[in-house]
Amino acid sequence: SAPPSPCPSVFPRSSYLHSFQTLQPFLLAVASILLAMSANTADLLDATTALDLNNIRASLMRMEDSIIFSLIERSQYKANTAVYDPDCSQLGECKLHQLKSAGSNGCLGDWFIYQTECLHSQVRRYLHPTEFNFFGPLPEPSLGSTSGSRTAKTRILADVPKGAIVNNRLLEIYRKQVVPALCEPGDDGNHGSTAVQDVHCLQTMATRIYYGLFVAESKFRSETEKATALIQAKDRDGLMAFITKADVEDKNIQRVILKARTFSQNISAAEVGQLAPAPPSSSTTYKINPEFIGSIFRDYVMPLTKDVEVDYLLARLQDQSGPIEGMPPAKKSRST
């Protein structure tokens, strides 16, 4: 039998918030959460609006800002890789057990992610169709619905397969590829601040990546016949070509570099034309390398997004969870 837990159940149902008075300590946190989630602006009350490519592009461009700003903030600290070391003794036996039960290696960075997700779950973050937690289980939502007339029975997306959830890949890329190139090597002792900022970086990047699900669904609906043929043939390469527009991606990367160049300039005194898109002067310095930020999107964020889209499309015809808004009912297979 499994060894006994060193602490009580992580989320006993009897301990959920029972009254508004109990909820009050969370209100300020809720306000900050809503601010952190502000880049995710899909109008879920209207499938047509949510899947409109122009609206999706506007949201994706806003998410670029959030990612760039979060990376700028992370760069002020050294790499502080101790935050990612397994079996963090400072957590103590109980917290370490809970964290490992959630799928972590027990590092301090994971504990910050998991605790943040537990709080966000209570304000319904993970009921959004493009939000997926890194660790679990999570507590049930304890805040009443803020989604108006939308009900849980009305869906915009089909079921998202497990293969389309790339959180583990994102976590490894961020810690092993992004942080070492973004931050000065070494340890400055700011482990808590580092872990907090890591949460923001990872969540903004994940939100941007999973927003590709709306792109995939939109393209499926606009070219259903072509997409269906590729799905039925299990043509992964064909689906990748179906969703890819290389010229648009190149322009997006250049936009990210320009944003990073603008947002991260060190400004000690105002100079005429300093923030203009023209080539910067030789005296201009930056908090981060703008070209590297562009490479994060080119080498990691965009490829992960497209993998999510392709895996979603490959499972698109297998959906069995009921009606999808704006789509005809699925045909039932005939019994033999």
Side-chain angles (χ1 to χ4, degrees):
S1 60
S5 169
C7 48
S9 174
V10 182
F11 300 120
R13 293 187 179 276
S14 61
S15 69
Y16 289 155
L17 302 177
H18 296 298
S19 66
F20 176 77
Q21 183 178 8
T22 311
L23 182 62
Q24 281 181 321
F26 288 88
L27 293 181
L28 291 177
V30 169
S32 64
I33 290 166
L34 294 177
L35 177 62
M37 295 166 61
S38 62
N40 203 334
T41 52
D43 182 1
L44 296 184
L45 296 177
D46 182 351
T48 301
T49 303
L51 297 177
D52 182 274
L53 286 177
N54 289 326
N55 294 334
I56 292 173
R57 290 188 193 101
S59 294
L60 292 175
M61 285 191 287
R62 180 62 183 84
M63 291 174 196
E64 292 170 359
D65 301 352
S66 298
I67 293 172
I68 295 168
F69 280 121
S70 68
L71 292 172
I72 292 172
E73 288 299 293
R74 177 61 178 92
S75 70
Q76 70 183 298
Y77 306 110
K78 292 186 177 181
N80 294 335
T81 56
V83 173
Y84 314 134
D85 289 342
D87 300 316
C88 177
S89 60
Q90 288 89 343
L91 292 177
E93 186 180 6
C94 178
K95 290 184 177 66
L96 192 59
H97 173 81
Q98 291 177 348
L99 186 57
K100 286 195 166 186
S101 298
S104 165
N105 67 356
C107 71
L108 180 66
D110 286 357
W111 186 77
F112 271 79
I113 295 171
Y114 188 36
Q115 292 302 307
T116 301
E117 290 181 332
C118 289
L119 180 58
H120 287 197
S121 177
Q122 294 178 74
V123 292
R124 308 175 73 84
R125 177 171 191 151
Y126 300 104
L127 296 185
H128 190 284
T130 62
E131 291 287 349
F132 298 92
N133 49 293
F134 286 82
F135 302 107
L138 298 178
E140 295 293 331
S142 55
L143 184 71
S145 175
T146 58
S147 56
S149 61
R150 173 162 294 283
T151 68
K153 295 181 180 179
T154 310
R155 300 182 302 144
I156 293 175
L157 298 177
D159 291 337
V160 179
K162 290 182 179 179
I165 308 304
V166 296
N167 286 346
N168 289 339
R169 292 170 60 191
L170 174 60
L171 201 57
E172 182 174 7
I173 287 170
Y174 176 76
R175 290 173 175 173
K176 293 185 177 180
Q177 305 296 330
V178 174
V179 168
L182 179 73
C183 302
E184 181 183 343
D187 194 310
D188 57 23
N190 290 305
H191 294 179
S193 297
T194 294
V196 167
Q197 197 54 48
D198 281 343
V199 174
H200 194 201
C201 290
L202 287 163
Q203 287 191 328
T204 53
M205 293 170 76
T207 294
R208 164 63 175 79
I209 288 166
Y210 291 121
Y211 223 72
L213 293 167
F214 283 139
V215 177
E217 180 67 19
S218 178
K219 291 186 175 182
F220 175 84
R221 295 192 187 196
S222 63
E223 298 184 68
T224 303
E225 185 175 343
K226 181 178 180 179
T228 298
L230 292 168
I231 294 168
Q232 290 175 336
K234 299 181 179 179
D235 186 350
R236 188 177 188 89
D237 291 338
L239 285 169
M240 186 64 74
F242 174 68
I243 63 172
T244 298
K245 290 187 176 180
D247 58 331
V248 174
E249 291 180 4
D250 290 342
K251 291 179 181 178
N252 290 345
I253 293 167
Q254 290 305 310
R255 182 178 63 243
V256 166
I257 293 173
L258 179 57
K259 285 182 177 182
R261 185 180 296 153
T262 302
F263 299 162
S264 70
Q265 283 192 36
N266 291 312
I267 303 175
S268 57
E271 299 177 15
V272 176
Q274 181 173 0
L275 296 181
S281 69
S282 58
S283 63
T284 302
T285 59
Y286 304 97
K287 298 177 180 66
I288 54 176
N289 181 345
E291 282 68 28
F292 174 65
I293 302 304
S295 73
I296 291 175
F297 279 78
R298 182 190 66 235
D299 299 337
Y300 306 127
V301 174
M302 289 180 177
L304 285 175
T305 302
K306 291 196 290 185
D307 283 346
V308 167
E309 293 180 26
V310 169
D311 283 323
Y312 172 79
L313 289 172
L314 284 170
R316 180 62 179 78
L317 303 180
Q318 302 170 17
D319 182 82
Q320 299 293 327
S321 297
I324 301 175
E325 185 174 332
M327 295 294 291
K331 295 181 180 179
K332 296 182 178 181
S333 59
R334 295 180 180 178
S335 58
T336 56

